[in-house]
Amino acid sequence: MRSPMIWKRRSTQSGTTKEERRANAAAWMRGEYGPAGYTYGVSKLVTGLMVLGGVLYLLTPWALVVCLGVAFIAMVGRLLIERQAGADFSDLHEAKRQFERTGRHDYLDFIQARGNQMLSDNKALRPTSKAEINELLQWADRYDRKASTHPENPKRSKRSKKRGASAQQK
């Protein structure tokens, strides 16, 4: 059965209002469109390289090949970095889930080590990704401090004794 509203003209296929379309257009102009991901996109760089290659094609066809090659390398590089960041975030969230399930403090150490390494090594992370890592680091630090200040925490005391013994052996 057809909808009784079929006679009304829709503003677009998705039914968005004029204000939503304007906001979407403004976000598109700022470059805030498409799937966000964990890292910055390279679409502006690739577009610029294509335009530059088209202009330089008038001088020599090899310039176009070089520009397109660099654009391809940028896209593949971003893909690899995005996959690595996705795997790292998956590992961090899994470690959080496992700590909540088991209470083993090795997961907190992993979150702190991997989170700090991601912040120092990966300069292409978006601010939202960095904020998410900082939230995980604060969460891990809060639980780590709670565990280390509790006097009757056998897991924490055993772990610190093992660390002290292994440090003396080295």
Side-chain angles (χ1 to χ4, degrees), residues 71-129:
F72 180 75
I73 290 170
M75 289 189 300
V76 170
R78 198 261 182 181
L79 174 72
L80 294 175
I81 291 172
E82 183 69 28
R83 280 190 180 175
Q84 181 64 43
D88 290 341
F89 273 100
S90 175
D91 291 345
L92 288 173
H93 288 292
E94 181 63 22
K96 180 180 177 181
R97 190 177 71 76
Q98 289 298 327
F99 173 76
E100 290 170 346
R101 189 176 69 83
T102 64
R104 291 188 57 202
H105 291 277
D106 295 335
Y107 294 114
L108 294 177
D109 292 339
F110 173 77
I111 290 172
Q112 290 171 342
R114 190 66 192 123
N116 287 326
Q117 184 182 15
M118 285 176 70
L119 287 175
S120 66
D121 290 350
N122 196 342
K123 303 300 181 201
L125 288 175
R126 289 181 184 260
T128 54
S129 302

Side-chain angles (χ1 to χ4, degrees), residues 23-47:
N24 289 341
W28 182 81
M29 290 297 290
R30 288 189 306 269
E32 300 170 0
Y33 57 92
Y38 293 112
T39 59
Y40 286 110
V42 294
S43 61
K44 291 180 182 180
L45 173 67
V46 170
T47 303

Side-chain angles (χ1 to χ4, degrees), residues 92 95-97 99-100 107-108 111-112 133-144:
L92 288 173
K96 180 180 177 181
R97 190 177 71 76
F99 173 76
E100 290 170 346
Y107 294 114
L108 294 177
I111 290 172
Q112 290 171 342
I133 292 172
N134 285 326
E135 286 175 13
L136 284 167
L137 288 173
Q138 289 172 357
W139 176 86
D141 190 42
R142 184 174 59 240
Y143 278 98
D144 197 30

